[in-house]
Amino acid sequence: MEIKRTLSSTSDTSIKTQRLSSSTTSNSTNWSDLVPELLQLILSKLLSVQIIRFKSVCSSWNRVAESYISSSFYTPLVSETPCLLLPAQDYDPDDCHYRTTDSRCFYSLEDKKEYNLTNMSNLFNYRDCCIGSSHGWLILLHNSKPNFPCLLNSFSNVPNSPFLVNPFSKVRIELPLLNWHQVEDEYVVFSKAILLSDPSHDKDFRIVLIKHEFHFSKSFFFFKKGDPGWITVDNDENKFYIDIISRDNHLYALTTDFCIEAWDFRGDLLPVKIRKIHPSITENLSESLRINIDLYVTQSYLVDSCGDLLLAVRFIGNFVNQEGEVVDESHLVDDELNYPLVSPYQTKMFHVYKLDSSEQNWIEVDNLHNQVLLVGLNQSMSFSAVEISGCQRNSIYFSDDNWEEMRAAFSHGGHDFGVFSLKNKSVELFNWHNLGRINPSPIWIIPNPW
């Protein structure tokens, strides 16, 4: 009898469970029918990259998100997770058919995943050359020569067409043509472009380019929305520029001798240089530059970090063997071919310095604490690893901006991106797909959903 009662009890429980399950299933919530007020409450807690994923759930969520973002209620969270914009996952740099593919990928530092951005072909394609990332926008040049990134050929007689793209909101803004009388060299590379404000909110946004002539540039190209064309601003002190950033509504420019110039671009007339800083460099930096001149090239970045101006000097090994060692070019030469079989360059080290404006010198920094630097083709920036999940504190995230090698090589380029730890003095590369050449080069961008 006990056994029967036990079986009967178990059977009753099973029936009740089935009924409960059936009832729950029949009354389950249709997530696409959630009221807009509840969805907006959810959206108010999300980062931009999360909003992008939110929009892809279904058409009704997408409509609510678009309406919310464009409303006066929407205020972006202070700290947004940086993403690395990449070619599509099936991209083959040697197959021209993929140059018109409709998608791009972005890698989120927050969850260490790649996501597809679709319907991109109407905005830009793989022939278009990206020369900057700023305020969530890409600055691109229409490039008629796909094998030479960012090259302008003065003999083609075809004006170069710069434009802006927000890959997340899918907005494109055309800019005036760059005329050839402004670009007098046979080949010119634009090494950096930044926006001084966000075009999503500033109808009078300004943009500045620096060109790359035999490694360095003495000129800015400047455009303000509403102006008929670009203005060339030449340095009157024969200084060469290697990086530019926007800070306190001014442009700060880093020169080859590690001096800093502050420019005011806000007026209706020509930009005005308002300040010059000539700090001395440390003996350690001077010695490092001298010793490594034969095996390394350097790239320097100016970064605004917690109110301080930082100088980050990147050491890139010209020739790195399969063991990761920087070697002389002759070590990679084949006896029969007489040229290097493989010559991939690779970032091996960063030195960081802080400006002491009172003493007019650069002070070496060995610890960024919770700060993280982001350098490369993007506008150099700093953010807190405490506020941004997924980032290594006290580190530098970098992308490939080695223009000289990228334009000269056909077997590699764009591959040199990853993270450098100041604590361990070590580099971790991020080339997940093991591609020798990635063209266009990956670029860091802060998602902007407008």
Side-chain angles (χ1 to χ4, degrees):
M1 293 295 294
E2 282 187 23
I3 294 176
K4 287 182 180 180
R5 283 197 297 271
T6 304
L7 287 174
S8 176
S9 174
T10 303
S11 178
D12 290 344
T13 303
S14 176
I15 291 172
K16 290 177 180 178
T17 302
Q18 290 176 8
R19 288 175 179 171
L20 180 61
S21 175
S22 175
S23 175
T24 302
T25 302
S26 63
N27 295 323
S28 61
T29 301
N30 185 346
W31 293 103
S32 63
D33 292 335
L34 288 177
V35 296
E37 291 78 10
L38 179 57
L39 293 176
Q40 290 175 5
L41 180 61
I42 296 171
L43 285 164
S44 68
K45 309 296 183 183
L46 301 181
L47 295 168
S48 293
V49 67
Q50 295 167 332
I51 292 176
I52 293 165
R53 283 178 281 176
F54 179 99
K55 292 168 61 177
S56 66
V57 171
C58 62
S59 59
S60 62
W61 285 31
N62 182 72
R63 287 193 297 272
V64 171
E66 290 285 356
S67 175
Y68 176 71
I69 290 170
S70 60
S71 73
S72 59
F73 301 106
Y74 175 61
T75 303
L77 298 180
V78 174
S79 300
E80 293 286 356
T81 302
C83 296
L84 191 65
L85 191 66
L86 301 160
Q89 291 178 341
D90 58 353
Y91 170 74
D92 181 352
D94 298 317
D95 189 343
C96 63
H97 295 292
Y98 284 103
R99 296 189 181 279
T100 57
T101 187
D102 197 46
S103 65
R104 300 292 186 275
C105 285
F106 68 90
Y107 173 81
S108 172
L109 285 179
E110 179 187 19
D111 52 15
K112 305 295 189 293
K113 291 182 180 179
E114 291 183 39
Y115 297 90
N116 271 328
L117 289 172
T118 58
N119 302 320
M120 291 287 109
S121 58
N122 291 331
L123 295 174
F124 65 109
N125 59 53
Y126 285 119
R127 287 191 175 188
D128 297 327
C129 171
C130 185
I131 56 172
S133 165
S134 187
H135 296 284
W137 292 77
L138 302 175
I139 301 108
L140 300 109
L141 296 172
H142 176 67
N143 186 11
S144 60
K145 294 182 175 297
N147 292 327
F148 298 91
C150 296
L151 286 180
L152 309 183
N153 188 338
S154 61
F155 299 116
S156 67
N157 295 319
V158 179
N160 204 263
S161 307
F163 59 98
L164 306 177
V165 164
N166 184 328
F168 302 100
S169 64
K170 298 181 180 176
V171 174
R172 173 169 169 153
I173 300 175
E174 301 295 336
L175 301 173
L177 299 178
L178 283 163
N179 297 318
W180 291 119
H181 73 271
Q182 293 177 299
V183 186
E184 297 175 351
D185 305 283
E186 178 180 352
Y187 290 111
V188 174
V189 177
F190 288 92
S191 57
K192 182 63 71 79
I194 68 167
L195 286 159
L196 300 183
S197 58
D198 184 354
S200 306
H201 305 288
D202 186 359
K203 61 181 178 61
D204 295 322
F205 69 86
R206 293 160 170 80
I207 180 172
V208 181
L209 318 179
I210 54 173
K211 61 182 180 179
H212 185 94
E213 305 169 86
F214 300 104
H215 302 287
F216 310 116
S217 173
K218 293 188 293 183
S219 303
F220 299 119
F221 287 91
F222 168 65
F223 169 73
K224 183 180 75 172
K225 177 65 174 175
D227 287 350
W230 295 84
I231 296 173
T232 303
V233 181
D234 293 316
N235 193 318
D236 57 357
E237 295 185 10
N238 204 30
K239 295 281 187 179
F240 294 90
Y241 299 115
I242 52 178
D243 197 23
I244 50 176
I245 62 170
S246 176
R247 182 181 192 245
D248 300 330
N249 295 316
H250 293 92
L251 179 83
Y252 282 71
L254 178 68
T255 64
T256 51
D257 56 356
F258 303 119
C259 293
I260 297 173
E261 296 178 356
W263 289 75
D264 189 347
F265 279 74
R266 294 174 298 173
D268 294 329
L269 301 177
L270 287 176
V272 178
K273 188 190 300 184
I274 59 174
R275 189 182 180 193
K276 295 175 287 185
I277 307 173
H278 301 276
S280 59
I281 64 174
T282 66
E283 189 65 32
N284 181 42
L285 175 57
S286 179
E287 184 71 6
S288 296
L289 294 172
R290 186 184 64 80
I291 292 176
N292 296 310
I293 192 171
D294 294 328
L295 298 179
Y296 293 82
V297 294
T298 60
Q299 179 63 285
S300 300
Y301 308 91
L302 191 61
V303 190
D304 182 8
S305 179
C306 299
D308 291 320
L309 281 176
L310 301 183
L311 167 66
V313 183
R314 176 177 180 176
F315 291 82
I316 306 169
N318 291 320
F319 299 96
V320 180
N321 63 22
Q322 293 183 348
E323 288 72 38
E325 301 169 332
V326 180
V327 298
D328 186 86
E329 181 179 7
S330 61
H331 292 189
L332 298 173
V333 172
D334 181 88
D335 292 336
E336 296 180 2
L337 298 178
N338 293 321
Y339 61 83
L341 296 173
V342 181
S343 58
Y345 54 89
Q346 189 180 120
T347 297
K348 304 302 291 184
M349 178 66 70
F350 276 87
H351 291 179
V352 181
Y353 302 86
K354 181 176 72 172
L355 177 66
D356 182 345
S357 55
S358 62
E359 297 294 332
Q360 293 284 295
N361 57 26
W362 290 108
I363 302 172
E364 189 160 7
V365 174
D366 58 9
N367 192 342
L368 294 172
H369 303 288
N370 288 323
Q371 290 303 115
V372 176
L373 307 186
L374 207 68
V375 302
L377 294 172
N378 57 285
Q379 178 174 213
S380 306
M381 65 186 74
S382 171
F383 54 89
S384 171
V386 175
E387 298 175 359
I388 302 284
S389 61
C391 298
Q392 297 180 29
R393 62 184 296 275
N394 192 28
S395 61
I396 302 174
Y397 287 79
F398 58 89
S399 64
D400 198 338
D401 59 355
N402 194 348
W403 288 116
E404 289 298 315
E405 283 293 327
M406 281 192 283
R407 83 175 190 178
F410 292 91
S411 62
H412 57 273
H415 62 278
D416 188 28
F417 58 101
V419 58
F420 172 77
S421 168
L422 263 75
K423 177 181 179 181
N424 301 324
K425 300 294 187 291
S426 62
V427 169
E428 176 190 353
L429 295 180
F430 286 166
N431 198 343
W432 308 279
H433 306 300
N434 296 316
L435 294 174
R437 181 162 63 95
I438 305 176
N439 180 20
S441 176
I443 184 170
W444 293 107
I445 185 170
I446 304 297
N448 179 350
W450 279 292

